[in-house]
Amino acid sequence: MTSSRPAGPRQPTLEDVARSAGVSRATVSRVVNGTRNVDPEIQRIVQEAVAATGYVPNRAARTLVTRRTDSVALVFSVPAHRTADDPFLGQVFSDPFFGRVVGGLLTVLRPRGVHPVLMLADSEDARHTLVANLRQEHIDGVALVSIAPGDSLPFLLTEAGLPTVLFARPSTPIPISYVDVAQQAGAKLAAERLLARGCRRITTIAGPFDSPAGQDRLAGFREAMAEHGHAYVPSVEGGFTQVGGELAMRELLERYPDTDGVFVANDLMAQGALLVLRDQGRRVPEDVAVIGFDDSSAALASRPLLTTIRQPVEDMAAEMAKLLMALIDDPSQETRSVIFKTTLVERDSA
C-alpha cells in the first residue's frame, strides 16, 4: 500500500516567466543569470514578469550556469600579534568606522542579492590560509579593509587572481582598485582651522606611522603648518584607538605643557585626548582646541562635541562595492581609484 503527500502549490518556472513576458525561455534565463549585453527594456520586462509570477531562481542551478555564488568576502585585515582578549580585536566589531563600512557596502550589495561574508585576518599565517580558502570556496570577490602595517594581503589576493577592491590606498604600489579620501587635504583643513582660531603652540596625535592614512594625515598637517611658518609640529603616535589617544595626549602635555591646539588623526583618539584634557583641568576649546578626523559617532559622543574632518565612509564603501561588482562582471577591466573629498564639520571643540 502506498501513500503520497498532497502536492503543494506549483512553483513558477522559467516557462511561466517567459509566457508572462512574451519572450523566450533562453532570454529569461539570460536575465535571471545576470548575463551581460541584454537590452535594458527586455531586462525590465522580464524583471516585472519575475515579480508578477513570483518566480524564485534556484541558487544552486544558477551557480552552475554562472559560476557565481552571489557572495563576496568582507575581509578586515588587522595587525598581527594580538591575543584573544586584546581590546583591539573587539574594536573591529565596535568601532563606528567598521559599522559604517558595512552599512555602505550593503546599500549596493543587498539590492543585487549579493551577500557579504565577514572574515578576519590577524596574522601572516591567517592571511595565507584565508587566500587558500577563498580560492576553494568560490567567493565571487573580496572587499578588503586593511589596517595592518605593511599588509601582504592585497598582494596575495591580486596574485591569486581574486577580484579585489581595497578601502584606502595600498601601502605599496600594486595593481589593485581602491577607494580613498583626500587625506592630506583633510589634514590641511584642520591646520587652517586651528590657526584661524589663533592657536600658536600646536601639536598633533598621529595615526600609526607605518599606515598610509597615518602617514598622509601627518604629512598634510605638517605641510599646511609649514606654509604658515610653523617649521616644526610635535607629534606622538596614537594607534587609532581611544586608549592610544589618552596616552599620546598625556605625553604631549608632559613634553609641551603650553599646547593650545591639537589635531588628532581620528575621532576615537580625539575622544581619549579630551578625557585627559578634562582630567588635567584644561578647558576645551578655551585652553586647548581639539580637532579630530572621520566624523564618526565618537565625535557626537565626545564632550564637548568634537570638531572634526569628515570622510564620507558610507559613500566610499558603497563605491567600493560598485567597483567590486563591476570587476566581478568584467575581470578584464583595468584597476581604478576613486578619491573622495573631505569637509570640516564645526562643533564645540575648536
Side-chain angles (χ1 to χ4, degrees), residues 8 26 32 52 60 63 65 92 154 164 166 176 205 227 236 263 271 330 341 349:
V32 169
T63 298
V65 173
V92 172
T164 303
L166 181 63
I176 189 171
I205 298 175
E227 290 173 354
V236 174
F263 167 53
Q271 198 171 35
D330 181 10
K341 292 183 179 180
S349 67

Side-chain angles (χ1 to χ4, degrees), residues 203-245:
T203 60
T204 180
I205 298 175
F209 293 148
D210 50 7
S211 74
Q215 294 167 358
D216 289 347
R217 294 175 193 180
L218 180 59
F221 188 72
R222 282 179 164 165
E223 180 179 340
M225 293 295 293
E227 290 173 354
H228 288 84
H230 294 256
Y232 174 67
V233 178
S235 66
V236 174
E237 183 178 2
F240 281 155
T241 66
Q242 180 176 324
V243 172

Side-chain angles (χ1 to χ4, degrees), residues 48-108:
E48 289 178 354
V50 167
T53 60
Y55 174 74
V56 178
N58 183 308
R59 181 174 293 274
R62 183 175 185 272
T63 298
L64 288 174
V65 173
T66 64
R67 303 185 64 83
R68 286 171 57 169
T69 61
D70 288 336
S71 59
V72 298
L74 172 55
V75 180
F76 292 110
S77 185
V78 301
H81 311 304
R82 301 286 176 176
T83 60
D85 61 348
D86 192 321
F88 186 91
L89 292 181
Q91 176 188 331
V92 172
F93 302 102
S94 63
D95 186 332
F97 166 79
F98 296 105
R100 293 171 69 191
V101 170
V102 174
L105 283 168
L106 288 177
T107 62
V108 173

Side-chain angles (χ1 to χ4, degrees), residues 73-332:
L74 172 55
V75 180
F76 292 110
S77 185
V78 301
H81 311 304
R82 301 286 176 176
T83 60
D85 61 348
D86 192 321
F88 186 91
L89 292 181
Q91 176 188 331
V92 172
F93 302 102
S94 63
D95 186 332
F97 166 79
F98 296 105
R100 293 171 69 191
V101 170
V102 174
L105 283 168
L106 288 177
T107 62
V108 173
L109 299 181
R110 184 178 292 161
R112 296 190 57 159
V114 176
H115 307 282
V117 179
L118 180 63
M119 298 182 177
L120 183 69
D122 58 358
S123 70
E124 195 61 21
D125 286 344
R127 293 180 181 93
H128 284 273
T129 300
L130 182 142
V131 172
N133 290 340
L134 288 176
R135 297 178 72 174
Q136 294 176 1
E137 293 173 8
H138 306 296
I139 291 288
D140 294 335
V142 181
L144 174 60
V145 181
S146 172
I147 53 174
D151 193 359
S152 64
L153 193 51
F155 174 78
L156 293 174
L157 290 168
T158 55
E159 283 292 292
L162 292 165
T164 303
V165 179
L166 181 63
F167 192 101
R169 71 172 175 87
S171 56
T172 56
I174 57 173
I176 189 171
S177 293
Y178 67 89
V179 299
D180 203 352
V181 71
Q183 307 277 9
Q184 296 196 26
K188 289 180 180 180
L189 290 175
E192 290 166 358
R193 174 67 174 175
L194 291 173
L195 291 169
R197 283 188 54 85
C199 299
R200 292 295 176 265
R201 295 170 297 281
I202 298 173
T203 60
T204 180
I205 298 175
F209 293 148
D210 50 7
S211 74
Q215 294 167 358
D216 289 347
R217 294 175 193 180
L218 180 59
F221 188 72
R222 282 179 164 165
E223 180 179 340
M225 293 295 293
E227 290 173 354
H228 288 84
H230 294 256
Y232 174 67
V233 178
S235 66
V236 174
E237 183 178 2
F240 281 155
T241 66
Q242 180 176 324
V243 172
E246 293 180 30
L247 295 173
M249 191 73 255
R250 292 186 190 282
E251 181 176 343
L252 283 173
L253 290 176
E254 288 176 5
R255 293 167 55 188
Y256 307 97
D258 59 350
T259 292
D260 63 359
V262 186
F263 167 53
V264 190
N266 84 340
D267 292 346
L268 273 180
M269 293 193 299
Q271 198 171 35
L274 289 171
L275 292 175
V276 171
L277 290 167
R278 184 177 62 190
D279 289 346
Q280 298 200 9
R282 306 291 183 99
R283 297 172 303 164
V284 177
E286 294 85 356
D287 299 327
V288 183
V290 179
I291 297 180
F293 199 115
D294 282 340
D295 195 29
S296 68
S297 58
L300 295 175
S302 299
R303 293 295 180 269
L305 296 177
L306 184 65
T307 294
T308 187
I309 306 301
R310 174 171 176 77
Q311 60 169 335
V313 173
E314 293 86 354
D315 293 341
M316 295 165 67
E319 184 64 28
M320 178 169 65
K322 291 176 184 176
L323 289 175
L324 180 58
M325 297 312 299
L327 185 58
I328 291 169
D329 289 340
D330 181 10
S332 67

Side-chain angles (χ1 to χ4, degrees), residues 10-21 23-33 46 50 53 55-58:
R10 187 177 69 86
Q11 296 298 315
T13 65
L14 282 178
E15 288 78 5
D16 295 326
V17 178
R19 279 192 295 270
S20 177
V23 298
S24 69
R25 183 186 188 281
T27 298
V28 173
S29 178
R30 291 175 65 205
V31 173
V32 169
N33 290 324
V46 171
V50 167
T53 60
Y55 174 74
V56 178
N58 183 308

